[in-house]
Amino acid sequence: MLRKGVTLRGIEVFEALAQSGSVAQAAQITGLSQPAVSQQMRNLETAVGVALIDHSRRPMQPTTAGQMFLRRAAVALSELRQAQSDVTVMDLAHLEELSLGIIDDFDDTVTPRLATILGDSLTGCRFRMITAGSYELIQAVQAQTLQMAVSAHAEGPIDAVDAYPLARDPFIIVAPADGDHTAQSLLAQQGPLPFLHYATGQLIASQINDHLTAQCISLPKKFEIGSHLALMAMVARGMGWAITTPLGYMRAARFHDGMQAFALPNPDVARRISLFAGAEWSGPVPRDIAQTMRRLLQDHMITPAIAKLPWLTDSLYLIEDMP
């Protein structure tokens, strides 16, 4: 039995504070006020009988006891969040068929979890899931070769489909970890480091090029890379710098030690992640799938990204609007 005073909310606050090192950032992550975060931590430390956070350091860090507690607590929280997704997912047993596309950005984290959640619910259904690029997925929903798709897109409506917004994913700059780089110096091409372009024909390439054109910035196309992970690997190896998004950055976790990230000078530039459904699918099914997807994005991508890059707090977030 848990000691009196050890609460799930307190553990969530401790996790956020340990990851971010800041009461203000922990408040943003958990949706609490800063005084409430401080009170939750005091209650938790009183309940367990030891100091979990070294409040004298900036950024704040877990104590030795706190690190031990966090390793166990993080596993428990992950299981609880997965259990919440499992039991709150919609009942899809009445469906005879469902075809869903999802962008490959989520292959390592969200897609496997979504597949298992939907697979458990679609007991009597023919279920097909594919991964592809954003343009291809949206066109497939419009052509009715897919019934739904989770895809990135630019702002504005898309013909013949209903959109269920999921998340805002702002553009950021990534550069090699070694070197005295700034966003401004890279965009001004101050130094020999070349810009690594996403391949022409990809939605993210079009959005980045539109932004650079609007800012009157022209960057030579010495490198044009179609694979996201290959592009991130080149950045980590010191071969150039790139513009990507936090969700793309988190997908390349294996290369983080070789990269540093910066906010784009224009914080309003972002892509939107949405669930698209054909008009004949309006109703509870796409809404419920969208809500499940939001939970997965928050738990497995957005919260870890903000913990890694706290300056994303105000620009990377879920979108709760529903059509």
Side-chain angles (χ1 to χ4, degrees):
M1 180 180 295
L2 290 177
R3 292 183 182 180
K4 184 178 180 180
V6 177
T7 66
L8 179 58
R9 174 58 85 182
I11 296 173
E12 288 179 321
V13 166
F14 172 49
E15 179 188 53
L17 189 56
Q19 291 175 341
S20 67
S22 161
V23 171
Q25 296 295 337
Q28 290 280 353
I29 293 170
T30 59
L32 298 175
S33 66
Q34 293 186 38
V37 166
S38 299
Q39 186 63 55
Q40 288 285 347
M41 274 309 306
R42 285 194 295 270
N43 293 346
L44 182 61
E45 289 179 322
T46 298
V48 299
V50 296
L52 299 175
I53 289 286
D54 184 348
H55 298 268
S56 66
R57 302 183 65 176
R58 293 293 183 272
M60 290 183 282
Q61 295 182 4
T63 62
T64 301
Q67 292 172 0
M68 296 173 60
F69 186 85
L70 182 61
R71 281 197 293 271
R72 300 284 189 178
V75 173
L77 285 175
S78 177
E79 290 297 322
L80 285 169
R81 287 164 179 157
Q82 184 62 51
Q84 175 179 268
S85 293
D86 289 347
V87 301
T88 58
V89 73
M90 51 286 159
D91 179 11
L92 302 179
H94 65 285
L95 294 180
E96 296 181 358
E97 180 180 4
L98 178 64
S99 58
L100 174 69
I102 187 166
I103 49 175
D104 52 14
D105 300 54
F106 306 136
D107 278 354
D108 295 339
T109 52
V110 171
T111 300
R113 291 177 170 88
L114 181 64
T116 56
I117 291 170
L118 292 177
D120 286 341
S121 300
L122 295 166
T123 54
C125 173
R126 180 177 179 270
F127 177 44
R128 180 168 65 98
M129 175 182 279
I130 67 167
T131 59
S134 295
Y135 281 139
E136 182 180 347
L137 291 176
I138 294 173
Q139 290 170 357
V141 175
Q142 289 176 312
Q144 299 183 0
T145 57
L146 278 177
Q147 292 159 336
M148 299 180 201
V150 175
S151 173
H153 64 107
E155 295 293 335
I158 297 176
D159 293 340
V161 298
D162 291 330
Y164 298 77
L166 303 176
R168 182 183 189 272
D169 190 24
F171 286 100
I172 63 173
I173 290 174
V174 290
D178 296 333
D180 187 18
H181 308 293
T182 66
Q184 290 75 14
S185 67
L186 291 167
L187 288 167
Q189 302 179 76
Q190 296 173 357
L193 206 61
F195 179 61
L196 307 178
H197 292 256
Y198 281 94
T200 300
Q202 294 179 315
L203 175 62
I204 192 170
S206 298
Q207 291 180 283
I208 292 169
N209 290 337
D210 289 346
H211 167 67
L212 294 175
T213 299
Q215 299 298 312
C216 300
I217 298 173
S218 177
L219 301 172
K221 286 193 175 181
K222 180 180 179 181
F223 295 100
E224 189 172 337
I225 311 299
S227 164
H228 171 77
L229 290 180
L231 190 147
M232 294 297 105
M234 292 175 70
V235 172
R237 287 288 301 273
M239 300 176 67
W241 64 280
I243 296 176
T244 187
T245 71
L247 299 187
Y249 173 80
M250 293 306 294
R251 184 183 171 202
R254 73 189 76 170
F255 303 120
H256 283 179
D257 288 346
M259 293 192 294
Q260 54 183 317
F262 308 94
L264 202 64
N266 184 349
D268 294 330
V269 182
R271 64 176 186 168
R272 178 175 286 207
I273 309 296
S274 294
L275 172 78
F276 294 99
E280 72 278 9
W281 279 88
S282 61
V285 172
R287 285 200 299 268
D288 288 346
I289 294 176
Q291 193 58 34
T292 298
M293 191 68 188
R294 289 191 190 94
R295 287 196 300 270
L296 293 173
L297 286 173
Q298 183 68 59
D299 291 344
H300 300 289
M301 300 203 78
I302 295 177
T303 296
I306 292 174
K308 185 86 173 178
L309 305 172
W311 44 267
L312 289 171
T313 299
D314 295 329
S315 58
L316 173 66
Y317 50 80
L318 295 182
I319 304 173
E320 298 289 349
D321 297 340
M322 300 296 281

